[in-house]
Amino acid sequence: MVKVKTLALSVSAALAWGAMGSAQAATTSQQVADLKEQVAELQQMVQTLSGQQQQQAVQLQQQAEMAAAKPAPVAPMASSSKPGWFTLPDGQTQVKLYGSVRVDGTYDTKANPSPNINNNTNSVPLNSANGTKDNLNVTAATSRIGLDIVRPTQYGDLIGKIEADFMGSSGGTNSDGQFRVRHAYMSLNKWLVGQTTSPFVNADTMPETVDFNGAMGGGTKRTVQVRYTQPVTANQKLLLALEGGDVDGINSSASTATVTAITTTGTTSSGGNRLPALTARYDIATADKKGLLQVHGLLHENRVSLSDSVDETKLGWGVGLGAKYSFTPNDTVFANYYHVKGDSKYMLYSNPAYATGVDGTDVIIAESEFDSGLIGYAHKWSPKWRSTVAAGGIWYKNSNDYADFAKTTSSTSLNKSMYNIIANSFYSPVPGVDLGVEYTYGQRKTFLNEKGDYSRVNLMAKYNF
C-alpha cells in the first residue's frame, strides 16, 4: 500500500511539473484543467487499491485465526525404515518374513513305540515288554514360516504375528507333515488377542535342546487367549490371561477307591468347560539383564458332563517358578519348578489330568497331582560352538484316588515318575545355520513300579532366515 501511494505521488508531481512547463509554454487554462482531472483520477485509483489491500489483509488475518483455533487431526506416525522389513502400499504397515528350513533325524537305541521325532519318555515300552530297538526316523516337518506385522497408530504400534510349521497330527513322522498354526495374534499397547505361548509355561527359562519339544520339566503350550500386560517397574511386569477351555472326554474305564460301578467305558463327555482358564506370570529381571525370575499361576475348571443330571466339576490349579542367570557372557544356568493338580495341558510329558467314573448318578473326578523340576547349564565355547546339559523330571503323588485308580486297574500307561538327562552341542559354521547333536537318556516308572528306559540320539540341521 505504501508503494502504491508513493507511485501516485510521483506521477502527480511529474504531471504537475509538466503542467507548469506547459502553462509557461502555452499558458492555456484548458491544459491546466485537464491535468487536474488526471491527478484526481489517479488519487481515486490509489484509494481504491488501498481499500482492496486492507480488505485482503483482514481476510488473511481471519483465516489465520480460524486455523489456529481448529485442532490438528491426530495422525499415525510415519512408518520407519527398519532392516529386513518392507512397507506395504499404504505407506504405514511394515512386514517382516522369517522362519527356518529344518531337518531332524532320531535314532532310538532302546525301544520306542512311535515314529514321531519328539521325545517319548512318557510312553516308551516297559522293559518287560521287550520292545523293538534301533529305530531311525527323519522329518522336515519341523520347518516353520512366519510374518511379523507392525502398523503405527495414535495408541502405539499395532502388532500382528502369524507363524506356522508342519507338525500337525501326523507331523514328525518320516517327513509326513501337516500345516499347523503356532502363533496367530494381534496386540496393541497392553492388550493381546489370539494364539500364542501361555503365561503359565516357562519358555523363557528353558535351556536350548535339539529335541523339538524341549526338556522335561517345562512347557511350550500355545493357547487362544486375551492377555493384559502391566509394567510395574523398568524391570518388572505382570501378565494376566483368560485362555480358551477344552471339552473333556471320558474315553476309558475309570475307577477310584470309592467307585463301585463303572458305566463310562467309551463314553464321550457332552459338556465342555464353562469358564476360561486364568493364567498369570510375574517377571523380575535384573537391572543388567543377566538374570530373570518368573512366577507362574494357573486356575481352570475340570468338567465331566454326561447330561444335565450327571455333571461334575473340580478345580485344576498350578504354581511355578522359573529362573535363569548368566554369570558370564558365556555361562548361563537354568532352573524351574512346578506343582500342578488336575492338569495335563501345559507341562510336557504329563499324565492325563484326571481319571473319571460313575457311582450311580454321581460322576467322580480323581485329579492327578505332581511336582516337576529342571536344572540346566549352557556354555559358549566360541562364537560358533555352544553346548548344554540339563536334567528334568516329573513326580506324581502316590497316595490319592488317582494313584489308587492306576494301581487298581494295573495301568501300564500312567506314570508315577519320569526323568530325562540331556547333553547337546550346536555348531554354527555361518550366520543363520545351526547343526545340532544331542543325546537323551530317560526313564519312566509306573504306579506298579515297572520301568521303561529311553535312549535316543538326535541330529538337526537348520537354516534360519
Side-chain angles (χ1 to χ4, degrees):
M1 185 172 69
V2 174
K3 290 182 177 181
V4 173
K5 288 183 177 180
T6 303
L7 175 62
L9 291 174
S10 298
V11 172
S12 299
L15 292 174
W17 180 262
M20 292 174 63
S22 298
Q24 292 175 358
T27 62
T28 62
S29 58
Q30 182 61 41
Q31 289 177 334
V32 173
D34 291 343
L35 287 174
K36 288 181 178 181
E37 184 179 352
Q38 292 176 2
V39 170
E41 291 177 355
L42 286 173
Q43 288 177 342
Q44 181 64 34
M45 291 174 60
V46 168
Q47 292 176 356
T48 300
L49 290 173
S50 176
Q52 291 177 350
Q53 285 190 343
Q54 288 178 352
Q55 186 177 3
Q56 290 176 354
V58 170
Q59 291 177 349
L60 291 174
Q61 179 66 25
Q62 291 175 345
Q63 291 175 358
E65 291 176 353
M66 292 175 61
K70 185 178 179 180
V74 178
M77 297 174 61
S79 180
S80 62
S81 177
K82 296 181 289 186
W85 295 71
F86 61 91
T87 303
L88 296 184
D90 64 4
Q92 293 289 323
T93 305
Q94 290 192 298
V95 177
K96 181 180 181 181
L97 176 69
Y98 71 91
S100 62
V101 178
R102 174 169 169 161
V103 177
D104 285 87
T106 64
Y107 191 88
D108 296 295
T109 60
K110 291 186 179 293
N112 181 6
S114 171
N116 193 296
I117 54 92
N118 291 330
N119 187 319
N120 292 299
T121 301
N122 60 324
S123 59
V124 69
L126 298 173
N127 295 339
S128 59
N130 192 30
T132 303
K133 300 180 180 179
D134 300 323
N135 303 304
L136 172 66
N137 292 288
V138 295
T139 186
T142 51
S143 301
R144 71 181 65 169
I145 189 167
L147 286 176
D148 282 329
I149 310 163
V150 177
R151 178 183 174 86
T153 75
Q154 60 268 40
Y155 303 106
D157 283 344
L158 177 61
I159 297 172
K161 179 184 282 288
I162 301 174
E163 181 181 296
D165 61 19
F166 303 88
M167 290 287 287
S169 59
S170 62
T173 304
N174 287 323
S175 298
D176 180 15
Q178 296 180 357
F179 206 55
R180 176 186 71 163
V181 174
R182 291 172 55 85
H183 301 275
Y185 67 80
M186 57 182 175
S187 66
L188 180 63
N189 205 332
K190 299 178 181 180
W191 291 94
L192 178 147
V193 179
Q195 177 172 305
T196 191
T197 305
S198 169
F200 185 66
V201 301
N202 51 4
D204 295 327
T205 57
M206 290 285 286
E208 183 180 25
T209 63
V210 175
D211 184 86
F212 186 71
N213 268 346
M216 187 177 293
T220 60
K221 185 64 178 179
R222 295 173 294 274
T223 62
V224 176
Q225 59 191 266
V226 177
R227 190 172 78 195
Y228 178 78
T229 301
Q230 177 60 55
V232 179
T233 69
N235 300 311
Q236 299 182 31
K237 62 182 177 181
L238 172 66
L239 284 71
L240 293 172
L242 294 176
E243 304 182 6
D246 293 328
V247 174
D248 298 311
I250 305 172
N251 51 29
S252 63
S253 295
S255 175
T256 70
T258 60
V259 171
T260 58
I262 308 302
T263 61
T264 58
T265 303
T267 302
T268 300
S269 171
S270 61
N273 294 341
R274 295 166 297 185
L275 301 172
L278 172 64
T279 62
R281 193 182 85 206
Y282 194 89
D283 291 1
I284 305 173
T286 59
D288 57 10
K289 305 303 180 184
K290 292 182 179 180
L292 174 64
L293 175 67
Q294 294 182 330
V295 183
H296 308 268
L298 165 69
L299 286 174
H300 71 80
E301 177 187 55
N302 287 322
R303 183 188 185 199
V304 176
S305 179
L306 302 182
S307 66
D308 284 343
S309 58
V310 185
D311 184 282
E312 182 66 21
T313 62
K314 276 194 174 181
L315 181 68
W317 60 273
V319 293
L321 288 172
K324 68 176 181 179
Y325 186 76
S326 299
F327 50 92
T328 77
N330 297 322
D331 299 279
T332 303
V333 292
F334 307 85
N336 292 292
Y337 168 77
Y338 280 87
H339 183 85
V340 179
K341 184 175 182 179
D343 183 76
S344 61
K345 181 178 179 180
Y346 291 90
M347 305 305 293
L348 293 168
Y349 314 112
S350 54
N351 289 337
Y354 51 81
T356 59
V358 175
D359 185 2
T361 59
D362 294 328
V363 176
I364 295 171
I365 299 176
E367 293 183 316
S368 65
E369 188 169 359
F370 67 87
D371 296 281
S372 71
L374 167 76
I375 56 172
Y377 166 68
H379 178 72
K380 294 180 181 178
W381 304 96
S382 72
K384 294 184 177 182
W385 182 26
R386 61 193 185 277
S387 299
T388 299
V389 292
I394 298 176
W395 304 270
Y396 277 83
K397 189 173 181 178
N398 195 32
S399 57
N400 58 9
D401 287 345
Y402 189 87
D404 291 341
F405 160 73
K407 296 171 185 177
T408 301
T409 59
S410 299
S411 173
T412 60
S413 61
L414 296 182
N415 299 304
K416 181 174 69 174
S417 64
M418 292 164 282
Y419 72 86
N420 276 158
I421 300 173
I422 296 173
N424 63 43
S425 282
F426 292 86
Y427 179 64
S428 302
V430 296
V433 174
D434 291 324
L435 305 176
V437 58
E438 179 173 274
Y439 175 72
T440 302
Y441 177 80
Q443 186 183 88
R444 74 179 182 104
K445 183 186 292 186
T446 71
F447 284 92
L448 300 177
N449 292 320
E450 294 184 90
K451 297 179 181 178
D453 290 300
Y454 177 84
S455 179
R456 166 176 281 190
V457 176
N458 285 62
L459 299 174
M460 179 207 73
K462 182 171 65 171
Y463 170 45
N464 301 294
F465 60 88

